């Protein structure tokens, strides 16, 4: 079952996403860079404090027409500005570098988690998460970038607040007023106005923009689904063209894009309301401190320089208090990203901790290739496929697995491979360091790269000569590929299904595994070619244990043992027949 789309993430989960890098083997480098960034941030705030004082002196010089002070302050402003620019440039430079280092570390970690324990396989079967590629490629980038920019922005706002609130309290002075014949005096009144102004603005922005987290979450999901639909057309261009399914594909893509469009308009309407509130808030903040402080100026209580210093200090305090308002959109996107990554991490962790009742042990007899004891396998939804199978394959056996579709033949091979955890019983095989195993599925996987790499996959091609590779290509009737060993291509698109299956058999002849599993690996071949590749396997790999799933009886002569899946229910009861578990009958094939 897929996880709820809008998953509530607790702060403990957020911390578990952020913490690992900062306690990892790269923690010294990470903390060094972060401390340098914080130091530059604090230095930038200090320069702002100096500029605030500069405002008072400079504008007093203007009011008093003091040219010498005016000229000295211009020089002072020049070197303060240069220092501020240098600080800002290197703060951004170091932040971007730290972001990439953090992203690289997290990408490697999450790729490892996704690829280990076959998590990529199980999450796809169980449909527990959507678009894992987007979560690794985009959400990790958004997490590292957003966490650094938001946290450093918050730090800068807090330091600015504490630096300027004392200045604002001191220079703004007190204001007094009469109410019911009582005189009230408010010391540092500009501070209270700043708190009131920022507080009201923050509450308003939160109230308007709170649905933005869910909308941002949906937007990323809809974009990823649309992109995946486009990729599927590219990967399945041949069957779609043969079906003339262009209109159906277009309708599906249009529907997916309509989700993007509809959600985007919702984001636009919400963003418009946010922009109305935040723009009014920001624009009025430019004149608000002048309006509040002007009575004291016109009463000759302060000079122009002090008025400008008050306005500048008020702007710094109000800006620091308004961090939430300015960062709200980024916070919403960051929170949506965190929700997706937390769900991704939880799904992978659940697979790592999933208690499989299948026991994988080591064979005692060196001649045994496979032994199962009371093996029962089920679908992940719980329906039992077969039960209490006691199977035995010895080195060099050629075993044919037959039975109706859906009875569990391919699932048996996946359980032997260790990627199917649903069931119970025992599977014994020789130790991994004493055997080599190769699975050839019906749809052969060919990595993008050179034909040499595709032919030797998953091993490295370095240990094989051109002559050796060309011989197996010739044996598998792939003469036309002799000169293409170093050609880079997407071979899944370059080769027909039959060519791909012949190439997978050539791969088996190159690797020479101790155990070879074939899962309908000749379904795209004609009977003559099918018999040819089976003959090659038996002739060139006589000591290899062969376990193959096939529907054609023509391959039976190349095997000496049959494992036949038989339904327990009466075949006339079709509904029961296809849902009842199978038993496996073992027989000898005498030729």
């Amino acid at each position: 079952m897929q996880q709820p789309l809008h998953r509530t993430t607790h702060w403990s989960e957020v911390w578990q996403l952020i913490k690992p890098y900062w306690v990892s083997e790269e923690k010294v480098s990470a903390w060094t860079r972060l401390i340098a960034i914080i130091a530059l941030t604090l230095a930038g705030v200090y320069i702002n404090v100096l500029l605030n004082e500069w405002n008072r002196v400079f504008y007093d010089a203007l009011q008093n027409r003091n040219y010498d002070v005016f000229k000295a302050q211009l020089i002072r402003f020049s070197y303060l500005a240069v220092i501020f620019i240098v600080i800002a440039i290197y703060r951004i430079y170091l932040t971007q570098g730290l972001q990439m280092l953090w992203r690289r570390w997290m990408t490697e970690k999450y790729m490892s988690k996704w690829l280990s324990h076959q998590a990529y396989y199980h999450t796809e079967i169980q449909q527990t998460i959507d678009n894992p590629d987007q979560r690794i490629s985009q959400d990790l980038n958004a997490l590292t970038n957003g966490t650094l920019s938001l946290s450093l922005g918050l730090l800068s706002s807090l330091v600015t607040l504490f630096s300027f609130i004392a200045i604002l309290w001191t220079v703004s002075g007190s204001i007094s007023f009469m109410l019911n014949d009582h005189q009230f005096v408010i010391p540092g009144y500009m501070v209270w106005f700043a708190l009131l102004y920022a507080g009201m603005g923050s509450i308003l922005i939160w109230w308007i923009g709170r649905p933005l987290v869910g909308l941002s979450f949906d937007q990323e999901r809809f974009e990823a689904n649309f992109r995946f639909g486009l990729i599927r057309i590219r990967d399945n261009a041949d069957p779609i063209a043969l079906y003339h399914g262009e209109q159906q594909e277009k309708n599906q893509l249009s529907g997916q894009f309509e989700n993007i469009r509809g959600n985007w308009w919702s984001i636009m309407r919400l963003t418009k309301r946010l922009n109305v509130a935040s723009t009014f808030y920001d624009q009025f903040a430019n004149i608000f401190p002048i309006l509040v402080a002007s009575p004291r100026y016109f009463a000759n209580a302060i000079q122009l320089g002090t008025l400008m210093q008050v306005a500048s200090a008020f702007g710094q305090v109000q800006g620091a208090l308004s961090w939430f308002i300015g960062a709200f959109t980024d916070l919403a996107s960051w929170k949506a990203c965190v929700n997706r990554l937390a769900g991704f991490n939880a799904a992978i962790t659940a697979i790592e901790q999933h208690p499989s009742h299948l026991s994988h042990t080591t064979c005692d007899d060196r001649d045994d290739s496979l032994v199962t004891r009371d093996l029962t396998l089920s679908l992940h939804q719980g329906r039992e496929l077969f039960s209490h199978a006691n199977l035995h394959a010895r080195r060099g056996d050629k075993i044919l697995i037959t039975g109706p579709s859906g009875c569990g033949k391919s699932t048996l091979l996946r359980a032997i491979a260790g990627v199917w955890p649903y069931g119970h019983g025992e599977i014994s095989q020789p130790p991994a360091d004493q055997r080599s195993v190769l699975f050839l599925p019906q749809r052969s996987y060919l990595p993008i790269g050179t034909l040499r790499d595709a032919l030797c996959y998953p091993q490295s091609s370095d240990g094989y000569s051109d002559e050796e590779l060309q011989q197996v290509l010739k044996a598998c009737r792939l003469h036309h590929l002799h000169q293409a060993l170093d050609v880079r291509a997407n071979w899944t698109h370059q080769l027909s299904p039959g060519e791909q299956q012949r190439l997978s058999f050539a791969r088996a002849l190159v690797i020479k595994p101790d155990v070879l599993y074939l899962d309908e690996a000749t379904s795209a071949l004609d009977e003559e070619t099918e018999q040819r590749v089976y003959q090659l396997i038996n002739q060139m790999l006589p000591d290899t244990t062969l376990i193959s799933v096939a529907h054609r009886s023509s391959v039976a002569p190349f095997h000496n043992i049959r494992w036949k899946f038989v339904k327990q229910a009466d075949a006339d009861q079709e509904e029961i027949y296809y849902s009842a578990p199978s038993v496996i009958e073992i027989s000898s094939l005498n030729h």
Side-chain angles (χ1 to χ4, degrees):
M1 296 295 291
Q2 190 168 341
Q3 293 177 334
L5 294 180
H6 296 292
R7 183 180 182 275
T8 302
T9 304
H10 301 289
W11 284 108
S12 60
E13 294 179 279
V14 177
W15 177 239
Q16 290 304 315
L17 291 174
I18 296 173
K19 173 185 174 182
Y21 176 65
W22 301 98
V23 295
S24 70
E25 68 283 356
E26 297 186 11
K27 60 185 178 183
V28 174
S29 171
W31 282 105
T32 300
R33 288 174 177 269
L34 182 61
I35 291 171
I37 293 168
I38 292 174
L40 290 174
T41 301
L42 298 179
V45 174
Y46 178 69
I47 295 298
N48 279 327
V49 171
L50 296 179
L51 288 172
N52 178 260
E53 172 64 20
W54 176 88
N55 268 289
R56 181 184 63 81
V57 178
F58 180 77
Y59 284 101
D60 277 348
L62 282 178
Q63 184 179 17
N64 299 328
R65 294 177 174 82
N66 190 331
Y67 179 73
D68 292 336
V69 174
F70 172 79
K71 184 173 63 173
Q73 290 305 308
L74 284 179
I75 296 172
R76 185 170 183 239
F77 176 82
S78 299
Y79 70 73
L80 286 177
V82 169
I83 294 172
F84 185 84
I85 291 170
V86 172
I87 289 173
I89 289 173
Y90 278 94
R91 181 176 57 83
I92 294 172
Y93 177 77
L94 290 176
T95 301
Q96 289 176 334
L98 179 57
Q99 176 198 340
M100 180 50 67
L101 291 174
W102 189 5
R103 180 188 178 188
R104 177 194 56 77
W105 187 89
M106 291 197 71
T107 299
E108 290 180 357
K109 175 189 174 185
Y110 275 84
M111 282 196 303
S112 297
K113 291 185 69 173
W114 187 49
L115 294 173
S116 63
H117 301 92
Q118 288 84 38
Y120 63 93
Y121 174 75
H122 295 295
T123 53
E124 199 65 29
I125 290 178
Q126 300 170 13
Q127 292 294 293
T128 51
I129 54 175
D130 62 278
N131 304 303
D133 53 314
Q134 178 207 33
R135 304 191 186 208
I136 293 175
S137 64
Q138 292 185 9
D139 288 342
L140 286 178
N141 181 34
L143 175 72
T144 55
N145 184 28
T147 301
L148 284 176
S149 61
L150 290 171
S151 58
L152 291 173
L154 178 59
L155 173 65
S156 178
S157 295
L158 290 174
V159 174
T160 299
L161 175 63
F162 289 112
S163 298
F164 281 92
I165 199 168
I167 297 174
L168 185 61
W169 182 280
T170 302
V171 299
S172 64
S174 301
I175 188 172
S176 61
F177 60 93
M178 299 294 295
L179 182 64
N180 294 331
D181 298 328
H182 292 284
Q183 184 177 16
F184 293 90
V185 179
I186 303 177
Y189 74 101
M190 292 292 290
V191 173
W192 304 110
F193 275 107
L195 289 171
L196 179 64
Y197 188 80
M200 292 178 62
S202 297
I203 293 173
L204 179 63
I205 294 297
W206 172 80
W207 180 73
I208 294 175
R210 55 185 174 174
L212 193 58
V213 173
L215 291 173
S216 297
F217 185 102
D218 285 338
Q219 189 67 22
E220 291 296 331
R221 180 167 58 89
F222 293 148
E223 293 280 4
N225 289 341
F226 180 65
R227 184 171 60 250
F228 180 71
L230 294 171
I231 293 173
R232 284 193 74 251
I233 292 178
R234 188 183 67 186
D235 290 342
N236 297 277
D238 187 61
I240 292 173
L242 293 174
Y243 277 118
H244 296 286
E246 294 83 4
Q247 188 60 46
Q248 179 67 15
E249 296 298 327
K250 181 181 178 182
N251 292 340
Q252 291 185 5
L253 290 174
S254 297
Q256 291 170 341
F257 190 79
E258 182 61 26
N259 291 333
I260 295 175
R261 188 201 65 82
N263 196 73
W264 183 255
W265 277 105
S266 298
I267 292 176
M268 284 177 58
R269 288 190 291 268
L270 181 60
T271 303
K272 181 179 72 174
R273 294 195 292 270
L274 273 175
N275 286 337
V276 169
S278 61
T279 302
F280 177 81
Y281 177 87
D282 291 337
Q283 291 301 315
F284 191 64
N286 292 325
I287 195 173
F288 182 76
I290 303 294
L291 292 176
V292 176
S294 59
R296 298 191 69 220
Y297 174 73
F298 287 111
N300 291 323
I302 57 175
Q303 286 192 307
L304 177 63
T306 304
L307 177 65
M308 299 309 297
Q309 185 183 19
V310 168
S312 174
F314 181 92
Q316 294 287 350
V317 171
Q318 175 264 332
L321 291 171
S322 305
W323 174 83
F324 176 78
I325 296 174
F328 186 85
T329 302
D330 293 335
L331 275 170
S333 299
W334 178 81
K335 186 60 168 63
C337 153
V338 166
N339 289 349
R340 288 190 298 270
L341 280 176
F344 179 68
N345 190 51
I348 293 178
T349 302
I351 290 171
E352 292 175 348
Q353 299 174 350
H354 180 76
S356 176
H357 298 290
L358 286 176
S359 173
H360 290 266
T361 60
T362 300
C363 287
D364 297 328
D365 190 336
R366 295 177 61 87
D367 290 331
D368 287 335
S369 293
L370 172 69
V371 178
T372 71
R373 300 179 181 88
D374 291 326
L375 180 63
T376 298
L377 295 182
S378 307
L379 297 176
H380 71 276
Q381 301 95 333
R383 182 170 73 84
E384 190 175 287
L385 294 172
F386 62 85
S387 60
H388 305 293
N390 294 292
L391 307 173
H392 187 191
R394 299 186 69 83
R395 184 166 300 180
D397 281 346
K398 312 298 180 185
I399 299 169
L400 175 64
I401 304 177
T402 61
S405 297
C407 62
K409 303 184 297 298
S410 297
T411 305
L412 172 61
L413 297 190
R414 283 159 176 74
I416 293 170
V419 302
W420 193 266
Y422 311 107
H424 56 83
E426 181 181 349
I427 301 175
S428 295
Q429 300 179 81
D433 59 351
Q434 297 181 13
R435 64 185 170 96
S436 59
V437 177
L438 183 65
F439 282 79
L440 302 187
Q442 180 178 11
R443 185 178 179 182
S444 181
Y445 174 71
L446 303 177
I448 297 176
T450 65
L451 181 64
R452 181 192 308 275
D453 292 335
L455 183 56
C456 300
Y457 184 86
Q459 296 184 1
S460 170
S461 61
D462 294 341
Y464 302 98
S465 66
D466 288 3
E467 182 180 359
E468 185 177 0
L469 298 180
Q470 289 172 350
Q471 285 178 352
V472 296
L473 288 175
K474 180 179 179 181
C476 293
R477 298 181 176 177
L478 295 169
H479 309 72
H480 55 289
L481 298 178
H482 281 185
Q483 304 303 319
L485 286 174
D486 294 312
V487 175
R488 297 184 61 86
N490 186 345
W491 294 103
T492 301
H493 292 167
Q494 295 292 323
L495 303 179
S496 69
E499 289 174 319
Q500 293 179 44
Q501 290 191 342
R502 277 179 278 157
L503 188 65
S504 68
F505 274 91
R507 179 185 294 166
L509 298 178
V510 169
I511 295 177
K512 299 179 176 62
D514 296 318
V515 185
L516 177 62
Y517 295 93
L518 309 181
D519 186 5
E520 299 188 48
T522 58
S523 59
L525 303 181
D526 59 87
E527 288 193 11
E528 180 188 356
T529 305
E530 180 182 58
Q531 292 181 15
R532 166 69 176 169
V533 294
Y534 268 100
Q535 286 174 350
L536 287 171
I537 294 297
N538 285 350
Q539 290 172 4
M540 301 180 67
L541 306 175
D543 297 326
T544 294
T545 303
L546 175 66
I547 302 178
S548 58
V549 172
H551 287 289
R552 295 178 187 170
S553 59
S554 56
V555 302
F558 303 99
H559 302 81
N560 60 342
I561 299 174
R562 184 197 301 269
W563 295 346
K564 185 177 181 181
F565 284 68
V566 180
K567 290 291 183 181
Q568 294 177 324
D570 188 344
D572 293 334
Q573 303 179 42
E574 185 172 346
E575 184 176 347
I576 299 176
Y577 178 77
Y578 283 105
S579 61
S582 303
V583 294
I584 302 177
E585 295 180 350
I586 302 174
S587 60
S588 175
L589 292 172
N590 296 317
H591 309 302

